[in-house]
Each structure stands twice: as structure tokens, then as C-alpha cells.
Amino acid sequence: MRRFLRPGHDPARERLKRDLFQFNKTVEHGFPHQPSALGYSPSLRILAIGTRSGAVKLYGAPGVEFMGLHQENNAVTQIHFLPGQCQLVTLLDDNSLHLWSLKVKGGVSELQEEETYTLRGPPGAPPSTTQITVVLPHSSGELLYLGTESGSVFVVELPSFHVLDNQTISSDTVLQWLPEEARNRRVFEMVEALQEHPRDPNQILIGYSRGLVVIWDLQASRVLYHFLCSQVQLENVTWQRDGRLIVTCHSDGSYCQWPVSSDAQQSEPLRSSVPYGPFPCKAITKIFWLTTRQGLPFTIFQGGMPRASYGDRHCISVLRDGQQTAFDFTSRVIDFTVLSEAEPAAAFDDPYALVVLAEEELVVIDLQTAGWPPIQPPYLASLHCSAITCSHHVSNIPLKLWERIIAAGSRQNAHFSTMDWPIDGGTSLAPPPPQRDLLLTGHEDGTVRFWDASGVCLRLLYKLSTVRVFLTDADPNESLNAQGEDEWPPLRKVGSFDPYSDDPRLGIQKIFLCKYSGYLAVAGTAGQVLVLELNDEAAEHAVEQVEADLLQDQEGYRWKGHERLAARPGPVHFEPGFQPFVLVQCQPPAVVTSLALHSEWRLVAFGTSHGFGLFDHQQRRQVFVKCTLHPSDQLALEGPLSRVKSLKKSLRQSFRRMRRSRVSSRKRRPAGPPAEMQAASAKAERTGLQNMELAPVQRKIEARSAEDSFTGFVRTLYFADTYLRDSSRHCPSLWAGTNGGTVYAFSLRVPPAERRMDEPVRAEQAKEIQLMHRAPVVGILVLDGRSVPLPEPLEVAHDLSKSPDMQGSHQLLVVSEEQFKVFTLPKVSAKLKLKLTALEGSRVRRVGVAHFGSSRAEDYGEHHLAVLTNLGDIQVVSLPLLKPQVRYSCIRREDVSGIASCVFTKYGQGFYLISPSEFERFSLSTKWLVEPWCLVDSVKPKNHSRPSHGNGTGTGPERASGQARNTGSQSDGAEKKAGPVMEHALLNDERVLKEIQSTLEGGRGSCGNWHPHRVAVGYHLSNGEAE
């Protein structure tokens, strides 16, 4: 029977691979890109956000998340939950309505699109007749009232979306019930507001843009009251909780109060106010009037700022009992809502939180605490508050380091409210995370943010700023609230989004954290390398500065790029947390392209496009520098701006060559009938396209010229204790790989601990390997005698890893963009290789070592390489035999920046940017899975009273399970099924791709896509019906 099996096919191995590998896209971290709508369910206590690309995301308590995507990639303009139900209605900018339901399937809850409907008018009617402007779900849950541009209000039955023509409220019908003095004016036009009476479901309020507001009796089909605002356009209306007062807001920045009573009709408002007058003001577009048990009501509105001086501000104002604050946001306000008493029979609103959806962040304000402080969100983090430039993941953080980081971060959060997170619908059923993981992101403004990446919610723990080390135009002590107390308007900056960097040279490019020692190395755009250590107390000290001349005074080279950052002289005050103690400044000050830290030897290695160096941060002295610059590498000396010019020149020359080839081919083309020529042209074009598609696959590895630009660009650095000189003695070593396919190996002599401060660290070049195909080296790894990757520094000392096998022969794995190659040590003779490009036409962009545990056997696991290519594929390659195990399609090949942002974890997971503000999390492991798992129950009413003031918010839990999922996974070589969920339209937007790419130096990868997976896997929901 075995002879019929194809070569290499082992059924037992295939079964084992299924236990080890499975591809899933599990959760999206961060803030939705380009939000366009906000909805909130007081009964479910769940928030909904819609985006311009047709996505709908639901959030409740930490760990409770749902996600869906409209089949049409149109912007979501409105979201409305049906009262008391697990359903919501969305309105898109193509005027279509969509009904969504949360339904249970096999114990897992999914957000499903139930019905789609587009309101149609009579034949020949203009589009404005049925263009929906306002949606009002009736409290019965069975009707939907739709206000239109024509002034008519249509009534639609749910869930069938059947139009009840006999209940349509047309402007002509309303006109019949108005007195004579109101009929002669153009009081209708479009419907701006629809509100149900808070106490009587048979009455609705209709507001028209020309200033007319009517209260309509649904049973008697007549106008009960009407209010006419003179000479100003109506923007919105709100109803007091008892139904005795309505408040209208207008285009001139004013709002008016109108009493609702059966007495004589009021022709003038009870009170009219322009909060920021008397000068012309912008429109108040939305207003809330909320009563309280104690004191005066809250007045909360959007806009209304003085047009001339503050017309460009994005503000929401809160007024109560003489206190007034205009919350000033750094991005446009999309919508806002106020969380208040949810019980309809309650006498007062008693608002407790203001929820504001801005274009770049979600801000929640505590309305109970004096001063109205913000509440720190446990999710929807604004990852791109400054553009992300790099990321670094550290798995299994020791508890002591974790607590020290949290303690340092808690001191930075003193300005946040202690109120518990108020949007707490649903209950997470997932167990606590089995380990603590950190995701570190470097930003354009010189900050490093530490995120809790253990579970579903990505939560900010601590923020480190490197700005204080340098002299910049901005004062580090400058406060956001520099405005005096007596200033008018009373503006207060809120939110964390601040996209403007004082100096682009501050940008962080590389991060390396040792989780055992607490040492952190951070490198930036202007050649600065900072070494920091964790200190639990504030300190004031000078940062020692050392210069590393990578050109080594070679003649004929002149740096044409940016200048170095000037270090701040004298002692500098540092807050508790990571504090820098030494600054290594590379010369020329080019972008640092590689970084490695060995905390046991107290060494840090750094590389740029000119060379690499080694620094002893215990003795604060330079060990050596090595220039890797080739004589033809003039581009490496021109800096980023000159590089762009050279790229444009190269592209221009390429297009000219293409044009010349087309002209010459036309000249050689034989004359013939026009039809034949056209057919031949079409055929040639098709053939050309086919050849273009096939070209990368057919391509063989060709040796690159040594004169290619950037051959000296240092791509990777690696420390290893291995056999470098002979097979009898192992020694510390440093390995460096360049863009030109060269690997340098330096043997190091590190003095023993008792003489560490007395004797210098010595380095000597021992090996130099030149790959024949000269492809860039993207990874270097040493395997011990058991063919297991060497442990991290101090990992063995902390009993978290077995001691490496130093008896057997070691092996060196060199990963270039085009092939994997294994060498024996210390002879450095080739043993194995896998030619990736020659076989598949792809190039390696990211590589990482991961441990894959079996989902069946707890004590079984394997070490493999996780590889990401320029085609967007992720492959797992075995160690040390270099056999491809599985291959998954993850990112579209056109999305160059997503791959540049990708980072692998030690346990077979990964993150990459799908937009400037969102990370997609994926898993290659069957055993290791982080996904939401929760219960939402609309039957059991939660206590809707005000949230308590506790110790802040917790993290969202995760599920680390060996259970295979039925959806969202893909076996080796299987094609993905096209689904409606999250094959996101972001990727069709070139502007989005450019926005991501502009934040990532070098841009050598591909930006991620919204991979089609299930809408909400891992949720359980009960809505009171039979399950």
C-alpha cells in the first residue's frame, strides 16, 4: 500500500500537523479606521460603531466584542438598537436599511444580517422623496419611523420592512392641522429630528429643518402641539424625561426651551440662549437636556463655538449649575451620547457618563465626579495617537516586572476617573489568560507604549517618552491645559490623539526588552540608541553620551541627511519607570536598522546603513565598530529625503525604457488590416499579463551585483554562545547580516563577573560568510546539539528553559530573502538549504522562531520557523531539516506596509496593522488561541444605576484552548471561502495604504487585509427565546 503514497507523505505526520498548526484571525485590536456612526443600547449596555467601509463593531464589558460587515462597502451613517432587543438597524449612505440580530448557533453567538431594505418612492418621484435623514425605532420594537428629505415620515414594519402606507405622515397632512399663520411659511423641507414621547408611546415629535416642530398623535393622526422657531434653521431636538419640555438647537449657535402643555399655544420659547454669543457662532448640531435628583439639569451639546476665533475646534460643551466646560478634541467629533438612567419609569435622567466618538478615538467623561475627568477605556485604544513606526512583542513576562510596569503606569493615570467602565454589557466566560504578554509600539513622537496583549483587550499599561533626553522645540513640561481658568470659551483638551511630532528625528525604529533583567534598548531615526533600566522611584541624573563613528574616518564620504539630535546637557528629571542612563549616538546619524541586547553580558549591538557596533553598557564604553559601506553605496549617505529623489529618478528611467520598448515594437510591427492588428494587440497584451503573473514563479535565484545600493545596510544582529573558532571551546559571539548577503561573526571575550568592571570586553572578527546570491540576510539563528534554538539571555538562570546542549555540534541557520541555509559550526560548511524564491517566487520579509504545542498531548511541542513573505503568505518551516510544514494566505500582496508592521510571538501568534489604528491578531497554533468568549443576556436586567468608583478597569480575558474551531480556519493549501465578514474595503483605498506606509521606515512588507472570518466566533448569547 505504501508504494501508492506520494513521496514524503506520512499519514501520522499529517495528523500531528493538524494538532500543531491551524490558522485563525482571531481579534482586531485598536480603534476602527474612519468611524462614521455611533449607537448605544441602554438595556444591553452595548456600544456600536460603524465605519465608512461598511463595518459594524459592538463592544460591551471587556472581552465582549462582536463584528460584522455589510456586503456593500458603503459608509454606515446611523446605528439604532431596537429597544429591549438584541437587534439593531443600520442606515448606509446608499439609503439602504439593514437589520442585524445576535443569534445563538450551537452555543456560539453570531451577529447576522437578517434583512436589507431600500425605501422606494412612486415612479418618477425625485430621490429626495425617500432619502432617509432620521431613523426612529419605536419602543414597541415592531415599527420604524423614517424621516426623509421631502418632509415625509414613513412607517416600516419590522422585521419584514413592510411599508405601512396608511400611516405615512406627509408634510401636506401636517399642514392641514397647522393654524393659518404657520401655513403660509416654508416651514417643512427635510425632517431633522424624530423623538418618541418619553411617557406616551402614541406621541412622536417631528422637527423640520425650517424651524417647525410638531407633536403628532399616532392614534388620532393629528397635530397636538406645534412650535415655530423664527428665522433660524433647526438642527436637532431633545425631550425632557417627563415630556413637559422640549429643547431645540439651531444653526446660529442657540438653543430654545419650549413648554409642552394643554394651555394656550406658545408662540415664543420659554427661554432662548446662545452659550458662546454674542458674536456669530457655529451651529449646535445635537443637544441633550438631562434632569437630576439634585440641582439643575445637565445641558450637553455639540458645536456652538464662536465662528471667527474657534470655528475650527471640535467641541462638546457640558453646562450645569454655573459650571461650564467645552471639551476640545483633536479630531472631528462623529457623534456622542449620554449614559443615564435606563429605567423608563424613573423620574430623573441622572446622567453618569458622556461617550464621544471622535474620528480618531473614543473618549468617555465621568459626569458624576467633580471636574468631569475622563475614564480610561479598557479597549478601543487609540494606537495611532502618534503614528506607529515599529513594534516588539515579549511573551510570558515575569510577575515582578509586570507589576513594576503597571505601578509606573498607574502614576501616569492619576488624571483619570476611578469610575468603573460604564459600558459593561454581557459577561465574559473566558478563563484568565495563562500568561502575561507585552506588545511594545514605537511612535513617531519618540514614545514607546507598553500594551497588555495577554487577552482580547489591548490595554495601555505604561508610556515611555524619550523626548526629555534631547533638546527639542517643545518644552517637556508644557501642559495641554495651558489656558487660564478665566479664559473664554472654557476649553479643555481631552483625548490622547496627537498626530503631530515636534521633530521627526525622535521617531522610534527599533525596540529590544529583556524581561528578566528589566533592561530596555530603544533606537531612533537619527542614529540615537538609548539603554534604559527600570527604576521604581523618580530620579534626576545626567545621561552619559558616547559617539560611535561607523565610517571610521574613511575619506571620500559625506553625510547629506539630517543632523543628529542635540542631547540635553546636565541632569534630567525622570519619572518612575524606564529611565535612560546612556546614549550611543551613531555617526552619521542614519536610521538605526537593527538592534540586539544581551543583558547577561551587558552588551548592546546596533546597526545602520553604514555599519554596526558593539557597546558595553556596564563599563559605558564602545567595544568596536565595523563599517559595512561599499564604495558604490552613495545612496546610503544621502538620507531619507535624497533617497526619495533617487527612487523617483529610477522610476522615471524605468518608464522611459518601457516607453522606448513600446515604440520600437510598434515600428517593427507588420502592417495589416486594422481588425487583425487590434486582435493581435489584444492577444499580445493578454500574453504579456500572463507572463507578468508567471514571471516571479519561473524566476531562479540570480547573484546580485556587489555594486547594488545599500549592500552595507545591516538587517539583523544576533548574540550567541557557540563554537566559533574550534570545536573544543565555545565563546560569546556577535553575528551581523547585511543587505548584500554578507554575514559577519565576531568572537567576544567577556570578563567573568568578579572582574567585569576591571577588564574590557574584547572582540575579534572570526568569520565572514558571503552568500553567493547576495540576497539580504533577514535572520540568523544558532541551534544547539539537540537542534533546538539557543535560549534567551538569563532564561536558563531563571529556570525557564533547559540548558543548551554544548556537547554536540552546533548549527548556524542563515535566512536570506530568497533561501534558508544551514551551516555546521565551527567550520561553517553548508549542510542544508531551502530555495524559497526559486520554488515559489516569493521573498522572505519576516521570520521568527516559535514553539508549537500539541492540542492533544500537553507535554509535546516543536520549534519551527514562522515565515512571512512578500506575497502575504505565512509558512511554517521545520528546524533543522528546513521542511515546509504548512502555508496560509494571510495578507494581500499589494499591502506592502502590513508586512512591514508584522511581528511574530514565541508561541505561534502574530500582529500586523490593517489600518493606521488597528492591529489584526492571528494564530498559527491549534493550541494557542486568543478570542472572545462571552454571554449577552437581555432578559436579566442589569442594575442600571450609576457605576461604582473602583480601581479602574480590568483586562479582557482570553481563551487558550486546544479545541479546533469550525470556521475561520484554513488547512494547508486550502483556499479561503469568500465571506461577507472583514475582507475589508480598507484595502481598496490607496490612501489608507499610503497612510500606513508613510509611518513605517523602509516599507518593506505588505499591509494587512481584513481576512474573511466569522462575524463573532466565541460568543454565547441568550435573548430570552428558546435556544
Side-chain angles (χ1 to χ4, degrees):
M1 185 67 185
R2 288 186 175 275
R3 60 183 176 175
F4 296 107
L5 295 176
R6 61 181 184 270
H9 182 79
D10 183 355
R13 179 61 188 170
E14 293 302 315
R15 284 194 299 272
L16 182 58
K17 281 163 63 173
R18 286 194 291 271
D19 295 340
L20 294 173
F21 312 117
Q22 185 179 16
F23 180 74
N24 292 282
K25 292 193 177 181
T26 56
V27 68
E28 290 165 6
H29 299 299
F31 185 75
H33 185 63
Q34 295 183 331
S36 55
L38 176 71
Y40 180 73
S41 171
S43 59
L44 299 178
R45 294 169 80 98
I46 284 181
L47 188 79
I49 295 177
T51 69
R52 285 193 221 169
S53 47
V56 179
K57 296 190 174 187
L58 274 60
Y59 301 92
V64 179
E65 296 184 12
F66 296 87
M67 187 164 49
L69 182 69
H70 295 87
Q71 291 185 355
E72 308 84 1
N73 290 328
N74 294 92
V76 181
T77 57
Q78 294 184 41
I79 301 176
H80 300 274
F81 282 89
L82 301 188
Q85 300 185 33
C86 295
Q87 290 184 308
L88 62 149
V89 173
T90 57
L91 174 68
L92 305 190
D93 62 356
D94 64 352
N95 205 43
S96 61
L97 290 164
H98 303 257
L99 178 65
W100 295 81
S101 297
L102 288 162
K103 289 197 171 180
V104 176
K105 281 193 175 180
V108 176
S109 186
E110 294 182 356
L111 180 62
Q112 294 182 345
E113 186 175 353
E114 296 287 325
E115 295 287 341
T116 302
Y117 173 73
T118 303
L119 189 63
R120 305 290 183 190
S128 62
T129 305
T130 54
Q131 185 66 42
I132 300 171
T133 55
V134 191
V135 177
L136 170 65
H138 194 263
S139 58
S140 65
E142 299 174 354
L143 297 175
L144 212 59
Y145 290 85
L146 309 174
T148 61
E149 284 187 359
S150 64
S152 298
V153 178
F154 294 89
V155 186
V156 176
E157 201 172 28
L158 291 176
S160 63
F161 279 113
H162 174 66
V163 180
L164 303 177
D165 292 321
N166 59 331
Q167 296 187 28
T168 299
I169 308 169
S170 66
S171 54
D172 293 336
T173 308
V174 174
L175 195 64
Q176 295 174 6
W177 293 96
L178 294 180
E180 192 65 35
E181 64 270 13
R183 289 189 194 181
N184 298 329
R185 303 178 57 184
R186 296 178 58 201
V187 293
F188 291 102
E189 292 203 353
M190 72 171 67
V191 177
E192 288 285 2
L194 283 174
Q195 294 271 334
E196 184 178 336
H197 194 291
R199 303 287 190 214
D200 186 356
N202 292 318
Q203 295 181 26
I204 64 169
L205 179 149
I206 308 173
Y208 299 92
S209 60
R210 286 284 179 172
L212 174 68
V213 178
V214 300
I215 297 177
W216 183 262
D217 189 325
L218 297 174
Q219 286 187 334
S221 297
R222 69 185 188 91
V223 172
L224 295 178
Y225 308 97
H226 77 274
F227 311 93
L228 196 56
C229 312
S230 57
Q231 305 298 323
V232 287
Q233 182 169 320
L234 180 74
E235 292 288 336
N236 218 316
V237 184
T238 189
W239 213 324
Q240 189 172 286
R241 193 176 188 89
D242 58 9
R244 296 178 181 176
L245 184 78
I246 65 170
V247 181
T248 59
C249 57
H250 305 278
S251 59
D252 63 348
S254 66
Y255 67 89
C256 304
Q257 302 172 23
W258 304 82
V260 179
S261 64
S262 56
D263 298 338
Q265 179 71 43
Q266 292 266 350
S267 59
E268 294 295 328
L270 179 68
R271 180 171 176 265
S272 180
S273 172
V274 183
Y276 297 109
F279 299 107
C281 296
K282 298 198 75 174
I284 294 178
T285 55
K286 187 175 182 179
I287 191 166
F288 280 86
W289 178 274
L290 302 159
T291 56
T292 59
R293 294 180 187 276
Q294 300 173 346
L296 296 173
F298 275 89
T299 306
I300 305 174
F301 59 86
Q302 178 182 349
M305 301 303 292
R307 186 178 297 274
S309 304
Y310 300 93
D312 59 342
R313 300 295 183 100
H314 313 291
C315 293
I316 290 180
S317 300
V318 180
L319 291 74
R320 182 180 186 246
D321 202 11
Q323 184 181 357
Q324 181 170 346
T325 299
F327 293 104
D328 188 10
F329 299 85
T330 53
S331 58
R332 184 171 60 93
V333 173
I334 303 299
D335 199 0
F336 76 99
T337 189
V338 181
L339 309 189
S340 58
E341 178 61 59
E343 180 56 48
F348 300 96
D349 293 296
D350 287 330
Y352 53 85
L354 167 66
V355 180
V356 183
L357 176 66
E359 198 165 34
E360 305 293 351
E361 61 186 330
L362 182 81
V363 178
V364 181
I365 305 293
D366 177 3
L367 296 178
Q368 289 184 340
T369 307
W372 302 327
I375 305 171
Q376 186 174 22
Y379 44 72
L380 287 172
S382 183
L383 299 176
H384 65 316
C385 44
S386 175
I388 295 176
T389 49
C390 66
S391 54
H392 175 66
H393 187 275
V394 187
S395 300
N396 208 5
I397 302 293
L399 179 60
K400 186 176 180 180
L401 176 63
W402 185 265
E403 291 175 342
R404 293 177 70 188
I405 292 174
I406 289 179
S410 63
R411 295 184 178 94
Q412 300 175 339
N413 298 333
H415 65 288
F416 284 115
S417 167
T418 57
M419 177 189 282
D420 291 335
W421 181 244
I423 304 166
D424 56 359
T427 305
S428 179
L429 304 178
Q435 68 177 35
R436 296 167 293 273
D437 289 350
L438 274 180
L439 179 65
L440 282 66
T441 54
H443 297 264
E444 192 178 43
D445 62 355
T447 59
V448 178
R449 285 171 168 80
F450 291 65
W451 305 91
D452 176 4
S454 311
V456 173
C457 297
L458 195 68
R459 186 170 64 102
L460 181 64
L461 299 180
Y462 167 69
K463 184 179 81 169
L464 162 70
S465 176
T466 62
V467 179
R468 287 182 178 271
V469 181
F470 305 101
L471 290 171
T472 60
D473 296 334
D475 182 0
N477 298 314
E478 185 179 333
S479 173
L480 284 175
N481 302 320
Q483 193 171 9
E485 293 183 2
D486 299 331
E487 295 290 332
W488 188 260
L491 296 172
R492 190 207 297 177
K493 286 276 187 186
V494 286
S496 60
F497 181 70
D498 184 13
Y500 307 107
S501 174
D502 299 318
D503 192 329
R505 295 174 297 172
L506 291 168
I508 306 297
Q509 297 298 330
K510 294 293 175 184
I511 305 169
F512 202 107
L513 171 67
C514 175
K515 61 186 177 184
Y516 303 111
S517 65
Y519 282 110
L520 173 69
V522 171
T525 304
Q528 70 271 28
V529 179
L530 285 167
V531 185
L532 309 93
E533 61 182 341
L534 191 55
N535 190 348
D536 298 328
E537 303 295 331
E540 186 168 336
H541 60 259
V543 178
E544 189 169 336
Q545 184 178 359
V546 178
E547 189 171 296
D549 183 9
L550 295 175
L551 293 183
Q552 298 175 313
D553 300 323
Q554 295 191 31
E555 296 182 1
Y557 294 103
R558 187 170 62 88
W559 172 248
K560 303 174 185 176
H562 49 242
E563 295 180 356
R564 58 186 282 181
L565 282 162
R568 192 179 295 274
V572 181
H573 178 78
F574 296 104
E575 299 295 331
F578 284 95
Q579 299 172 353
F581 60 88
V582 67
L583 165 65
V584 181
Q585 179 61 57
C586 299
Q587 286 289 16
V591 174
V592 177
T593 57
S594 54
L595 185 68
L597 176 72
H598 200 292
S599 49
E600 189 173 358
W601 302 337
R602 299 290 197 269
L603 299 175
V604 60
F606 49 89
T608 71
S609 54
H610 307 121
F612 61 96
L614 182 65
F615 183 79
D616 179 354
H617 65 76
Q618 184 164 354
Q619 293 188 10
R620 317 285 172 89
R621 62 178 292 274
Q622 180 178 292
V623 179
F624 76 90
V625 291
K626 169 73 174 176
C627 181
T628 58
L629 202 63
H630 191 272
S632 64
D633 270 353
Q634 286 301 319
L635 282 180
L637 292 165
E638 292 182 354
L641 297 178
S642 302
R643 197 183 312 164
V644 173
K645 294 176 184 176
S646 303
L647 178 62
K648 288 181 178 178
K649 182 180 178 182
S650 175
L651 288 171
R652 195 178 297 117
Q653 291 172 348
S654 300
F655 280 118
R656 283 173 180 165
R657 282 196 297 270
M658 289 169 61
R659 199 177 298 120
R660 283 198 295 268
S661 65
R662 287 198 193 106
V663 170
S664 59
S665 64
R666 283 197 205 102
K667 289 179 179 177
R668 291 193 299 268
R669 191 175 298 159
E676 290 180 12
M677 289 177 63
Q678 191 171 353
S681 173
K683 183 178 180 181
E685 190 173 347
R686 283 196 301 271
T687 306
L689 288 172
Q690 291 170 2
N691 291 339
M692 286 170 62
E693 290 294 325
L694 292 172
V697 182
Q698 295 171 346
R699 174 191 179 280
K700 299 298 179 185
I701 297 179
E702 299 173 0
R704 306 185 187 193
S705 169
E707 298 181 356
D708 286 350
S709 296
F710 292 109
T711 55
F713 186 112
V714 179
R715 293 287 294 269
T716 183
L717 291 165
Y718 179 70
F719 286 107
D721 186 358
T722 186
Y723 299 96
L724 189 58
R725 293 194 174 276
D726 55 60
S727 56
S728 59
R729 289 183 304 163
H730 58 88
C731 66
S733 62
L734 172 66
W735 301 76
T738 71
N739 217 44
T742 306
V743 177
Y744 299 95
F746 280 76
S747 64
L748 307 177
R749 184 188 172 279
V750 181
E754 60 272 13
R755 299 196 304 274
R756 183 65 177 82
M757 289 300 294
D758 302 327
E759 299 179 13
V761 175
R762 301 192 183 278
E764 183 180 354
Q765 184 170 340
K767 308 284 184 187
E768 181 174 339
I769 308 169
Q770 178 61 61
L771 301 179
M772 294 301 292
H773 57 289
R774 299 184 183 274
V777 178
V778 296
I780 298 174
L781 184 67
V782 173
L783 307 176
D784 68 6
R786 293 189 297 263
S787 298
V788 175
L790 294 182
E792 296 179 15
L794 297 175
E795 193 171 10
V796 176
H798 285 75
D799 296 327
L800 295 172
S801 175
K802 293 181 180 178
S803 297
D805 184 353
M806 307 304 284
Q807 304 301 321
S809 60
H810 285 196
Q811 301 173 77
L812 170 70
L813 172 64
V814 177
V815 181
S816 74
E817 281 191 354
E818 299 182 353
Q819 73 176 18
F820 304 81
K821 201 164 188 177
V822 175
F823 299 88
T824 59
L825 288 177
K827 292 184 178 180
V828 194
S829 56
K831 182 179 179 181
L832 283 171
K833 65 180 173 182
L834 171 63
K835 296 183 178 180
L836 190 72
T837 301
L839 297 175
E840 301 169 3
S842 58
R843 295 191 177 187
V844 177
R845 287 291 184 256
R846 285 285 183 273
V847 63
V849 179
H851 181 267
F852 293 89
S854 170
S855 60
R856 294 179 183 270
E858 284 293 326
D859 56 346
Y860 183 78
E862 297 177 358
H863 285 92
H864 295 287
L865 285 179
V867 181
L868 182 62
T869 72
N870 65 326
L871 302 181
D873 295 334
I874 292 183
Q875 302 188 38
V876 177
V877 178
S878 68
L879 289 176
L881 299 178
L882 301 182
K883 290 188 178 297
Q885 300 297 302
V886 288
R887 175 178 175 177
Y888 307 112
S889 180
C890 181
I891 308 172
R892 291 199 330 175
R893 68 177 70 182
E894 298 87 358
D895 306 330
V896 177
S897 300
I899 291 181
S901 66
C902 182
V903 57
F904 289 113
T905 76
K906 298 290 185 184
Y907 293 94
Q909 296 186 68
F911 301 81
Y912 67 92
L913 286 172
I914 54 173
S915 77
S917 58
E918 292 170 289
F919 272 114
E920 175 78 74
R921 186 179 193 135
F922 62 88
S923 174
L924 303 172
S925 171
T926 306
K927 180 179 181 179
W928 198 257
L929 205 62
V930 175
E931 64 175 353
W933 187 256
C934 60
L935 168 74
V936 176
D937 194 342
S938 66
V939 175
K940 299 176 183 177
K942 299 190 74 155
N943 179 16
H944 292 297
S945 61
R946 305 173 179 185
S948 61
H949 285 69
N951 296 324
T953 57
T955 61
E958 74 172 37
R959 181 168 68 98
S961 165
Q963 177 184 358
R965 302 192 299 180
N966 296 326
T967 57
S969 65
Q970 180 187 0
S971 60
D972 181 25
E975 290 293 327
K976 286 190 175 113
K977 294 182 180 179
V981 189
M982 294 334 211
E983 182 62 47
H984 211 281
L986 284 174
L987 303 173
N988 298 322
D989 190 343
E990 293 296 328
R991 190 164 48 81
V992 176
L993 298 180
K994 290 177 182 175
E995 190 176 346
I996 307 175
Q997 190 167 0
S998 66
T999 68
L1000 296 162
E1001 178 69 21
R1004 286 184 181 47
S1006 119
C1007 174
N1009 64 330
W1010 292 71
H1011 168 64
H1013 54 72
R1014 70 206 181 295
V1015 182
V1017 161
Y1019 300 103
H1020 188 128
L1021 175 81
S1022 170
N1023 59 2
E1025 300 174 1
E1027 297 187 10

